[in-house]
Amino acid sequence: MIDDILKYNARFVAEKSYEKYATSGQPTRKLVVLSCMDTRLTELLPQAMGLRNGDAKFIKVAGGTMLSPYDSVIRSLLVAVYELGCEEMMVVHHSDCGLCHLEAQHFIDLMKLRGVSDEALAEAAEHVDLESYLSGFEDTEEDVRRTVAAIQHHPLMPQQVVVRGFMIDSYTGELREVE
């Protein structure tokens, strides 16, 4: 697969196909979007929002959620605000999210099937609470509210940054604000 991608990339560069994507590193709409990494959203989400390449910064992680107040998600949001000038944030979760109702033991079982040892799991448990680290959430809309509140109340986030939460239908692209 990767070799096929590299062959395609060589043609892409040789044909200068990149030219239509040229933009600065600054988001022209001063917007950052935190969303799930679900493949259904790769093209659907920006299209449903009317955003083009360069309009916004997209941060995509499993579930579109933060695990802790100082994880890489909040770090990326802070960079978007302080270094890239973003003034508004959208937290966008989606229908039929695979992280909803996901249990840590399921992940641990899959890891063991792929050869992860009990010793490796014990070592990981020294750094994180595996139950919370590997579990999903029960209520998608509640997780949107929790994530929005965590960003809004983060001690390093300026209060004037607008943070709002949304659900997107994974099939139709309909956006609905979560109150």
Side-chain angles (χ1 to χ4, degrees), residues 34 63-66 89-94 137-154 163-167 176-179:
L34 171 60
T65 192
M66 294 171 32
M89 294 183 189
M90 293 177 74
V91 174
V92 184
H93 286 22
H94 65 96
F137 40 80
E138 291 302 311
D139 182 331
T140 308
E141 289 189 19
E142 181 55 35
D143 197 69
V144 169
R145 286 188 282 276
R146 185 195 61 75
T147 302
V148 167
I151 295 166
Q152 288 173 327
H153 298 103
H154 195 280
V163 185
R164 293 167 62 185
F166 299 85
M167 288 288 298
R176 180 178 48 78
E177 190 157 12
V178 175
E179 301 295 330

Side-chain angles (χ1 to χ4, degrees), residues 145-175:
R145 286 188 282 276
R146 185 195 61 75
T147 302
V148 167
I151 295 166
Q152 288 173 327
H153 298 103
H154 195 280
L156 303 179
M157 188 62 65
Q159 293 302 302
Q160 65 270 28
V161 172
V162 175
V163 185
R164 293 167 62 185
F166 299 85
M167 288 288 298
I168 187 170
D169 185 294
S170 300
Y171 303 100
T172 69
E174 178 185 17
L175 279 170

Side-chain angles (χ1 to χ4, degrees), residues 31-52 56-61 64 90-94 166-176:
L31 173 69
V32 59
V33 179
L34 171 60
S35 72
C36 186
M37 64 184 198
D38 190 297
T39 55
R40 294 172 290 181
L41 303 182
T42 301
E43 291 187 41
L44 178 65
L45 182 59
Q47 290 297 312
M49 298 170 82
L51 297 175
R52 297 181 334 189
K57 291 295 179 183
F58 282 85
I59 299 167
K60 298 174 72 83
V61 296
M90 293 177 74
V91 174
V92 184
H93 286 22
H94 65 96
F166 299 85
M167 288 288 298
I168 187 170
D169 185 294
S170 300
Y171 303 100
T172 69
E174 178 185 17
L175 279 170
R176 180 178 48 78

Side-chain angles (χ1 to χ4, degrees), residues 1 19-20 25 27 29 31 34 37-38 51 69 72-73 77 85 87 99 112 131 138 143 146 162 165 173 179:
M1 172 59 75
E19 290 177 348
K20 67 181 179 181
R29 294 202 183 178
L31 173 69
L34 171 60
M37 64 184 198
D38 190 297
L51 297 175
S72 63
V73 172
L77 293 172
E87 298 170 355
L99 213 56
K112 287 180 176 183
E131 181 63 33
E138 291 302 311
D143 197 69
R146 185 195 61 75
V162 175
E179 301 295 330

